[in-house]
Amino acid sequence: MLKSTLEAFSDTNGKAKAAAINGTVELTNLIPPTVTYESRGDLLIVGAQENITALAEQFSELHSVTLLATDATEAKAGLSNLYFSQDVSAKGYLGAFEVTCQVAGQLTKANLAKVAIGRDCFDLILDMTENGIMSLEIPAPGYYAVGSRKDKLAQLVEDLPAMMGTFDKPKYFRLNPDLCAHSSRGVEGCDRCLDACPAGALSSNGVEIAIDPYLCQGVGTCATACPTEAITYALPDPQNTQNFVHRVITRYKQEGGEKPTLLFYGNRDENAVTQALATLPSSVIAIALEELATVGVDTWFSALVYGAHQVLLATNTKYIPATIDRVLSNELAMAQRFLTEMGYDADRICLFDFSDVETYVPYQEALVAPVSEALTGSKREKLFTSLEMLYTEASTKPEQSSVVEKAPYGSVSCETKDCTLCMSCVAVCPTRALHAIGDRPGLLFIEEDCVQCGMCEKACPEKVISLEPRFNWDWQARKEAKLVHEEPAACCISCGKAFAPASMVKMLTEKLQGHSHFQGDAIRRISMCEDCRVRDIFEQMEKDPASQARV
């Protein structure tokens, strides 16, 4: 349908657009990784007794049907598969739904599938309750919440018998724990991805992030929210997406096209986009994504420096789930703040509702001369490169800008008079934004690498580190290693070797001088390097063997 719409344009821009889209390798992975669901067709229907008992016979093609009434306590005659409970909880996905409730004859909650069909789980759930027994914004595969909607119910009567067998689904993400800023050494940090998932697929055990590929629905908000690329979208990966955008714009211009506007949209909105393109100017180039939220500020700004005059994010705003709307809105708010801080129109990157098709007016000029090659590097590096190009041509050149809440940009401050250079902050920093000088006691900081995870602030035993959310437009200052704190080294009183910050030795001496293990000459060991400290202990034991028995 979209292809026929592209071919309908006869002007230069329209022909160039068709050539660019049709002549560029598709934005897909050839062999995406998959996960597999297995369903025997064991269905649980939950709801009012009158509704579910009348419906059961319509699913006779399935392997089994279990009924769970939430509004009654007595069964109609002859219904051995009917159970009762008003306290029901469920978790899982197609082929693996665990439903627990308190049924007659049970003193505690039980696994209903074991009671009803002798299995650990149900394969499918048809939920006819008013509020639903699973509260996820994007339901798990195999869970159908219809409430009282008869139109949905009629379709499910036809569709559910086909939900028996083995089904494959793409694994939409890649997870690299080594890049994750969620926690380190028992200190919790970034939780942006957990807040960004509308499908309940992400969880934390306090140590690391886990993603359940069976619950993941591929909306991509976790990857967009992740500041370190510990989570990346895999269908396709971000670099392929940007390469595709660059090739499309380049080909469009080679074919004689002018003043390109990019319109990103999710595959589910293809029909709406097809209708919109028939009315929109022929210079609007539609780029299909698995989901609209799978790309963020780095891709949007890259498109502007590739030559797009504007980036439109097409969606029906009335129906977008709340979590996706929040993530997309936060990302868009940050993008528009970058633009307005430089004196550009915020609508160079904006949401586009399909109801605005008739009134849309495209921008007539580009912001910068387009780059000839696609940008490379991490998504932060590509964003910073794009912003630097836009900043060079900007009418307004700020030094620093405020950022939206939880944005992964900023600095840290340190009350150096109380800092002991213990390096606890360095030990937990996931990006090496904070790191040691190396050859002498000192702490360095690179602002460009800081994702504001907060672990350094929490790990500091002296509580002298605090975060400073902001965006620093001084490229050189942001990239260089800035000295946070430095002090003379304490030298071993035995061998003279530098071994620790002087303030740390002083602090430990003051705190431990009253401890039973550091009485008399033993307090001197705090001022020794590790080798001399061990040597001194053994020399003392040799001189006074009985001291080993004294506590």
Side-chain angles (χ1 to χ4, degrees):
M1 185 183 297
L2 185 58
K3 185 176 181 180
S4 62
T5 301
L6 291 174
E7 295 173 348
F9 290 99
S10 59
D11 65 324
T12 301
N13 284 345
K15 291 180 179 179
K17 176 168 62 175
I21 295 295
N22 295 331
T24 304
V25 177
E26 288 190 10
L27 189 58
T28 56
N29 287 347
L30 295 179
I31 308 177
T34 60
V35 294
T36 301
Y37 301 93
E38 294 184 2
S39 169
R40 287 177 41 177
D42 292 317
L43 172 67
L44 172 68
I45 306 178
V46 187
Q49 181 178 192
E50 181 179 359
N51 295 334
I52 63 178
T53 53
L55 187 63
E57 291 184 2
Q58 298 187 54
F59 294 102
S60 58
E61 295 180 40
L62 292 170
H63 183 259
S64 72
V65 177
T66 301
L67 307 176
L68 180 59
T70 57
D71 69 330
T73 57
E74 294 183 3
K76 291 183 177 180
L79 291 177
S80 60
N81 62 338
L82 179 61
Y83 299 85
F84 307 92
S85 181
Q86 295 180 339
D87 185 9
V88 184
S89 59
K91 63 181 180 179
Y93 45 82
L94 176 64
F97 284 108
E98 181 180 327
V99 179
T100 57
C101 59
Q102 188 167 348
V103 296
Q106 301 284 341
L107 297 178
T108 60
K109 279 190 172 184
N111 183 331
L112 183 60
K114 287 186 176 180
V115 174
I117 59 176
R119 291 188 62 206
D120 290 331
C121 58
F122 294 103
D123 298 306
L124 303 158
I125 296 179
L126 175 56
D127 189 346
M128 301 181 66
T129 62
E130 182 177 352
N131 297 319
I133 61 173
M134 297 182 74
S135 58
L136 298 172
E137 289 180 69
I138 297 182
Y143 174 76
Y144 306 92
V146 300
S148 59
R149 290 191 57 178
K150 294 183 178 180
D151 56 332
K152 282 189 175 183
L153 193 57
Q155 187 63 47
L156 288 175
V157 170
E158 296 182 13
D159 294 345
L160 282 190
M163 298 303 294
M164 291 190 291
T166 301
F167 306 90
D168 290 333
K169 182 196 74 172
K171 184 178 179 181
Y172 294 101
F173 64 90
R174 294 189 181 96
L175 175 62
N176 184 349
D178 292 339
L179 298 178
C180 186
H182 177 59
S183 71
S184 178
R185 300 172 184 261
V187 179
E188 294 188 6
C190 177
D191 60 1
R192 295 176 177 92
C193 62
L194 294 173
D195 293 338
C197 181
L202 276 80
S203 61
S204 168
N205 60 7
V207 177
E208 59 185 5
I209 293 292
I211 305 178
D212 189 331
Y214 293 93
L215 291 177
C216 175
Q217 301 298 296
V219 297
T221 44
C222 59
T224 297
C226 178
T228 64
E229 291 185 285
I231 303 175
T232 55
Y233 203 70
L235 201 67
D237 64 73
Q239 188 63 55
N240 283 341
T241 300
Q242 291 200 12
N243 289 345
F244 179 83
V245 170
H246 181 264
R247 291 196 302 271
V248 166
I249 295 177
T250 301
R251 180 68 181 272
Y252 172 80
K253 291 186 175 181
Q254 289 173 347
E255 297 289 337
E258 298 179 337
K259 304 173 183 178
T261 293
L262 285 196
L263 184 147
F264 288 110
Y265 70 95
N267 281 331
R268 70 184 64 197
D269 287 324
E270 181 175 343
N271 290 337
V273 169
T274 300
Q275 296 176 13
L277 287 178
T279 303
L280 289 169
S282 58
S283 59
V284 176
I285 305 171
I287 303 291
L289 304 169
E290 187 73 19
E291 294 283 352
L292 180 60
T294 60
V295 300
V297 288
D298 57 304
T299 300
W300 305 338
F301 276 101
S302 294
L304 291 179
V305 302
Y306 293 159
H309 289 197
Q310 186 180 19
V311 173
L312 303 176
L313 312 173
T315 185
N316 193 324
T317 55
K318 293 180 180 178
Y319 303 110
I320 188 170
T323 297
I324 300 177
D325 182 44
R326 174 171 50 79
V327 173
L328 202 56
S329 296
N330 287 347
E331 196 82 353
L332 181 59
M334 192 68 258
Q336 294 187 331
R337 183 165 299 182
F338 286 147
L339 288 167
T340 55
E341 287 288 289
M342 292 184 285
Y344 296 119
D345 190 343
D347 281 347
R348 289 288 185 159
I349 301 174
C350 66
L351 282 178
F352 179 77
D353 195 284
F354 297 115
S355 61
D356 298 330
V357 168
E358 299 288 345
T359 59
Y360 173 72
V361 178
Y363 282 93
Q364 299 300 306
E365 69 287 330
L367 295 181
V368 293
V371 296
S372 58
E373 300 291 335
L375 302 181
T376 58
S378 69
K379 70 178 185 180
R380 286 175 72 85
E381 290 169 337
K382 287 180 281 192
L383 172 63
F384 293 145
T385 299
S386 300
L387 291 177
E388 186 171 357
M389 292 179 61
L390 292 168
Y391 186 87
T392 300
E393 302 297 327
S395 59
T396 302
K397 291 181 167 57
E399 294 181 1
Q400 294 181 11
S401 298
S402 61
V403 293
V404 299
E405 184 180 3
K406 298 190 78 172
Y409 317 106
S411 183
V412 297
S413 64
C414 177
E415 295 291 338
T416 57
K417 64 182 179 63
D418 295 321
C419 177
T420 61
L421 290 175
C422 67
M423 298 301 165
S424 295
C425 55
V426 171
V428 298
C429 182
T431 63
R432 289 198 77 251
L434 283 165
H435 59 280
I437 292 178
D439 59 349
R440 61 189 188 277
L443 181 63
L444 298 174
F445 175 71
I446 301 176
E447 184 167 349
E448 183 159 297
D449 295 336
C450 180
V451 296
Q452 297 284 288
C453 66
M455 284 195 281
C456 59
E457 185 178 40
K458 295 176 182 176
C460 178
E462 312 303 332
K463 304 303 178 187
V464 297
I465 291 180
S466 58
L467 302 181
E468 292 184 351
R470 69 178 189 185
F471 191 83
N472 186 354
W473 294 94
D474 186 332
W475 314 108
Q476 189 62 36
R478 201 182 64 237
K479 295 175 182 178
E480 69 181 5
K482 180 181 70 174
L483 180 65
V484 177
H485 183 42
E486 182 181 17
E487 64 179 59
C491 295
C492 176
I493 60 175
S494 179
C495 69
K497 181 179 73 173
F499 71 97
S503 63
M504 180 181 293
V505 174
K506 180 176 180 292
M507 178 269 293
L508 290 174
T509 301
E510 292 174 349
K511 286 189 175 182
L512 296 176
Q513 61 187 353
H515 196 282
S516 60
H517 289 180
F518 293 93
Q519 297 304 302
D521 288 342
I523 195 68
R524 299 182 309 109
R525 293 177 187 145
I526 297 175
S527 299
M528 295 180 183
C529 68
E530 54 271 31
D531 293 334
C532 292
R533 191 177 305 132
V534 173
R535 188 178 301 113
D536 188 70
I537 291 173
F538 278 95
E539 288 177 353
Q540 176 63 28
M541 290 168 56
E542 184 178 8
K543 294 177 182 178
D544 183 10
S547 65
Q548 299 178 64
R550 293 196 296 267
V551 179

